Amino acid sequence: MDVRSRNHVTVTGRTGAPAVMLAHGFGCDQNMWRLVVPELERDFTVVLFDHVGAGNSELTAWSRDRYASLDGYVDDVLELCRELDLGPITFVGHSVSAMMGVLAAARRPEAFAGLVLLAPSPCFVDDPATGYRGGFSAEDIDELLESLDANYLGWSGAMAPVIMGNPDRPELGEELTNSFCRTDPEIARVFARVTFLSDNRADLAAVTVPTLVAQCSHDAIAPPEVGAFVHAQIPGSRLVTLNATGHCPQLAAPEETAAAIAAFAGASG
Amino acid sequence: MCGTDDGAADDGGRGRGRDHGRGRDHGRGRSEDHQENQEARFSELLEDSAEDLYEHAPCGYLSTLLDGRIAKINTTLLDWLGYERDALVGRKRFSDLLTVGGRLYHETHFAPLLRMQGEINGIALELKTADGTRLPVMVTSTVKTGGDGQALLIRTTIFDARDRRAYENELLRARQEADRERDRLKVLNTTLQKTLLPPTLANVPGLDVAAHYHIASADEVGGDFYDLFPLAAGTWGMFLGDVCGKGAAAAAVTSLARYTLRAAAVYSPAPDAVLANLNTVLNHEYNGTDPRFCTVIFGLLTPDPDQGGFHITLASGGHPPAMVMRHDGTADSLPTPGGQLIGILPNANIATTTVHLAPGDTLLLHTDGLTEAHTAAGPDGRYSDEALLDLGRALAPTTATDAITAIRDLLDTLGNGVDDDTAVLAVHVPRTTSEEQQ
């Protein structure tokens, strides 16, 4: 299968410039990055893609077996790197995709110039045995699955989100209506489990490429101590706390987020 | 909706009310007077309404800053939640009011969508009240922007959805249950279908055989069937048929027809006798309130030592004609006019015909699921017997395997147009090396 169409790859920005790959997290698709892309495409080759099962990826490529753990997604990222052949890239992983970056860089460090872990969490569930606090209990995750189910009727039926004007990029309108944040409920359930029940704390120490941990100042999903944990576990990593609040700094504070990515990728790329 | 957060509520209602109160004109007609009276009464009712409507509306109003911090909240929502205003305004964020699972959903779906679209509609969430109980709600939010298009704050309306959620949970449970049942039914149907077909076709010396069964819908068992089996003294029996109807009742008839044909052929292998016996069995079995019948074509295959190949006698009870595709590139259908449906009359008329299948020839039996398939290209919007004959002429000379492959490709092309099950069975006499050289 053609991995570019499988993952609905978009390549934009300056040809020949250092490459930055932006990986969206659980819930939505590559449109999450649309506010930071204009900031980055002046100085970088920008690669956007949808995880299989999300957005405009090829849903036929999704299988419960392949995507029952982060490994299937990591395989995809490495296949994309090979296929695009842009040299060592700076991988920007938001939320769950941050851990995909960690695993991919541990497996093939030569493919990566650096990692930006945006609002990362290596483990969402608390682990009283080690005193680790991820912020959630297993019951909380079950509750999220219920929330997904509660909106299942709506998502699968009448609710096609109406897009307000996008005066800068009107072509986004139609695309967003059809895809943005709409996921097959079956796929969403499996991805939610992978996202919120994976434990990658032990994998952090294996990262050898330059790494920037960028966390938000008030993030209900990845609290500050989790960012500090990631920073402490990855040798030589840098930690920045963005002024952005919430879990999606690329939407809440796109300029600040893009600046942090650009400064890091410019230095390491 | 909750537009008073920025002081936008004017006292227009009040002002108009006073104007109307003074503006009486006794010279006008009764109905105009009546209308004025009514407007005045409405205005009095609406006195001081904007603030009161905001605070005591039958829904919750909430205004938050872009980072989620609560800037304004109405009394209705405070009452639902059991909080004092001071405990929330400036202190809590909207997501703090949600259950943890709801907060995750909010951060991963709700907030990004709201940022992207400027509004989000009818999302099911649960609020956590001060005493720890949960309140199911439907939430709609819009982003208020300033004159320069800059986002200023988020306005949210919240509806109590306790009754609705209970109803939706029932729907959801029913839907999940239905999904599971449908999956079970499909497995059951597919399994049942398989039991009605031979697991493999008999290996006939000097004959290449192939068959295909196309299931139009896994939701129902179809009624097509076929078989090829040994009879006494080097002869072979083959049949292919189509029980009218679908589902479990049709499957029962299919099963009965299959075993009756096998047994009848042993007892008296002449094809017209086999079908006459099947007719008697089905007619006796379903002579009551639930008549069941089928179309079927039965063939007796006898090797022809003189000319080579096989001599085939075909008997048909109302079934579409077989087609022969010859080694010389010609193809013909083998009509059996006058044959009647099996099982419907005490004495059905059975029509027979014979064909010599020479080396290089192929005989194809089919059910009408194929020729009745919907296609814009065919006459009356169906694929048609003529189209199948044309296909046979294009294929000849062919083999059993190649003919079945061509039919499978055709079924793929027809796609959803094939709304009935289709069975096809082909037998072919391979040419020997010396024949090919000639």
Side-chain angles (χ1 to χ4, degrees), chain B residues 191-241:
Chain B
T191 310
L192 180 55
Q193 194 77 65
K194 279 188 194 148
T195 67
L196 297 176
L197 300 172
T200 53
L201 290 170
N203 184 18
V204 185
L207 210 57
D208 161 34
V209 300
H212 176 62
Y213 193 97
H214 174 84
I215 298 175
S217 161
D219 294 335
E220 262 192 320
V221 191
D224 291 5
F225 58 94
Y226 61 80
D227 205 352
L228 176 71
F229 53 97
L231 287 166
T235 63
W236 300 81
M238 64 188 277
F239 59 76
L240 180 138

Side-chain angles (χ1 to χ4, degrees), chain A residues 165-256:
Chain A
N166 281 301
D168 320 333
R169 303 180 67 187
E171 77 281 1
L172 279 174
E174 174 94 289
E175 191 186 336
L176 291 183
T177 317
N178 296 335
S179 68
F180 186 62
C181 289
R182 305 197 75 197
T183 312
D184 179 301
E186 189 64 32
I187 295 176
R189 278 188 79 85
V190 176
F191 195 18
R193 293 197 144 269
V194 171
T195 299
F196 293 107
L197 297 177
S198 290
D199 181 356
N200 299 103
R201 287 175 291 164
D203 299 301
L204 297 171
V207 173
T208 55
V209 303
T211 299
L212 175 69
V213 180
Q215 62 178 12
C216 299
S217 15
H218 183 100
D219 184 344
I221 291 198
E225 56 264 41
V226 171
F229 179 89
V230 173
H231 167 53
Q233 296 291 310
I234 298 182
S237 63
R238 283 206 299 122
L239 175 70
V240 296
T241 301
L242 303 169
N243 291 322
T245 56
H247 186 58
C248 303
Q250 68 272 57
L251 286 176
E255 294 87 3
E256 183 191 23

Side-chain angles (χ1 to χ4, degrees), chain A residues 26-28 31-32 34 136 140-141 143-144 147-153 155-156 159 161-164 166 176 180-181 196 218 220-221 245-248 251-252, chain B residues 66-67 93 95-96 99-105 107-109 111-113 115-126 134 165 168-169 171-172 175-176 179:
Chain A
F26 166 73
C28 300
N31 286 298
M32 285 293 283
R34 69 193 185 104
F136 300 94
D140 294 336
I141 306 305
E143 232 179 49
L144 167 70
S147 296
L148 287 172
D149 275 350
N151 286 294
Y152 172 45
L153 291 170
W155 288 113
S156 56
M159 203 191 95
V162 178
I163 306 298
M164 302 287 277
N166 281 301
L176 291 183
F180 186 62
C181 289
F196 293 107
H218 183 100
I221 291 198
T245 56
H247 186 58
C248 303
L251 286 176
Chain B
L66 294 177
D67 66 4
R93 291 164 201 268
S95 63
D96 294 333
T99 57
V100 181
R103 204 176 303 158
L104 287 171
Y105 186 83
E107 295 298 325
T108 53
H109 291 76
L113 263 177
R115 288 274 182 166
M116 290 282 206
Q117 302 173 176
E119 67 172 26
I120 184 162
N121 245 311
I123 297 296
L125 291 170
E126 279 190 325
R134 290 157 178 236
R165 192 65 49 81
E168 283 182 348
N169 281 341
L171 273 181
L172 196 60
R175 181 164 173 163
Q176 287 164 340
D179 284 349

